Amino acid sequence: MSDLRIVKSSLHDEAVSRIREMIIEGDLVPGTKIPERQLCETFGISRTPLREALKVLASEGLVVLLPNRGAQVARLTRKDIQDMFGVMGALEGLAGELACQKITDAEIAEVRALHYEMLAHYARRELQPYFTMNQAIHEAIIRAADNPILSTMYSSLAGRIRRARYMANMSDERWAAAVAEHEEILDALVRRDGAALGRILRDHLLHKFKVVVSTDLADQEAPLEQAAAN
């Protein structure tokens, strides 16, 4: 087993990153208590940086802090997912419009390179690397929008959106459709067609949302109102 101990110079950021990934990928289960002592031993850190990391994750909605009882992994309900995807769709749509006004040729080349790397992972059916490249493309568009407030809001939701995505079962048909949508995203970006890119990105998030809520979630609230998804 590889050494998971965290170097002291990056205790806080590394603890946040690693615990976030454990939550997103399901190693820490929703509704269960965070095993603080075990994580401290695994990472080779004290309780102080760990608890500071948990505060950051609580601000992202991934962790719930329990007074005098530690912390637990937050649950995601259908209502949570509906609200998150609605806001994220609006943010990405705006980012697409702004990016087309400001993006440089070098930034477009970066997105194109990420796109073709994503296609290679798709061809080999490598889901995890595919998701990594997919996320990198969306983050590159957010950066190209050059709007710090938008970026901050996006970052605050990104972890929870990723967690919801991991909960979903993506069929081969939906995966192929997502790749086709990314072809449209790249085409609109290259043409710097902000209106088209904004629409495509909003539709892309809506399709992801429908995949996620079609999954049998462990924690469900009242049935989702169909009108809210339109």
Side-chain angles (χ1 to χ4, degrees):
M1 182 176 179
S2 60
D3 187 359
L4 296 177
R5 294 172 68 86
I6 298 173
V7 296
K8 291 184 178 180
S9 62
S10 58
L11 291 179
H12 178 267
D13 290 344
E14 281 294 315
V16 170
S17 177
R18 293 189 187 186
I19 298 170
R20 183 191 290 120
E21 288 302 315
M22 293 175 77
I23 293 172
I24 289 171
E25 296 182 11
D27 295 323
L28 293 174
V29 180
T32 61
K33 189 173 181 179
I34 301 287
E36 294 186 24
R37 179 180 299 177
Q38 179 182 334
L39 291 178
C40 286
E41 293 175 355
T42 299
F43 298 153
I45 62 177
S46 68
R47 286 286 181 92
T48 298
L50 181 72
R51 288 177 174 171
E52 289 301 313
L54 293 177
K55 290 178 183 178
V56 173
L57 294 170
S59 72
E60 296 179 4
L62 292 173
V63 165
V64 176
L65 301 178
L66 306 171
N68 304 315
R69 290 184 292 147
Q72 71 178 26
V73 181
R75 296 180 183 275
L76 273 183
T77 66
R78 290 195 177 209
K79 179 63 164 58
D80 293 331
I81 294 169
Q82 175 185 350
D83 292 345
M84 286 189 300
F85 272 87
V87 173
M88 187 64 94
L91 291 176
E92 289 218 17
L94 176 58
E97 294 171 7
L98 293 174
C100 285
Q101 298 172 19
K102 304 176 181 181
I103 197 165
T104 65
D105 290 342
E107 289 171 325
I108 289 178
E110 176 193 357
V111 173
R112 182 183 283 110
L114 292 170
H115 176 79
Y116 286 121
E117 187 170 353
M118 183 189 73
L119 291 183
H121 291 305
Y122 170 67
R124 294 191 292 266
R125 288 300 192 266
E126 297 169 342
L127 187 59
Q128 178 56 46
Y130 166 87
F131 274 142
T132 298
M133 290 300 102
N134 185 306
Q135 182 66 23
I137 290 168
H138 288 276
E139 290 174 352
I141 293 173
I142 294 293
R143 287 195 303 273
D146 192 26
N147 186 311
I149 294 176
L150 189 155
S151 296
T152 298
M153 295 178 68
Y154 178 89
S155 296
S156 71
L157 283 176
R160 301 186 81 195
I161 289 286
R162 286 176 61 202
R163 179 177 155 208
R165 183 193 66 201
Y166 270 90
M167 297 165 64
N169 298 316
M170 188 162 68
S171 66
D172 286 343
E173 181 181 4
R174 176 54 208 151
W175 196 357
V179 169
E181 289 165 11
H182 265 267
E183 294 279 7
E184 294 178 1
I185 288 169
L186 179 60
D187 178 67
L189 189 63
V190 169
R191 292 186 290 106
R192 291 179 168 83
D193 188 339
L197 183 56
R199 173 183 52 77
I200 293 165
L201 286 168
R202 284 188 288 269
D203 288 346
H204 186 60
L205 261 291
L206 175 60
H207 296 155
K208 285 185 180 180
F209 166 74
K210 290 179 177 179
V211 170
V212 170
V213 297
S214 69
T215 300
D216 184 19
L217 302 178
D219 179 28
Q220 296 185 9
E221 289 190 331
L224 198 63
E225 294 181 3
Q226 293 299 318
N230 295 327

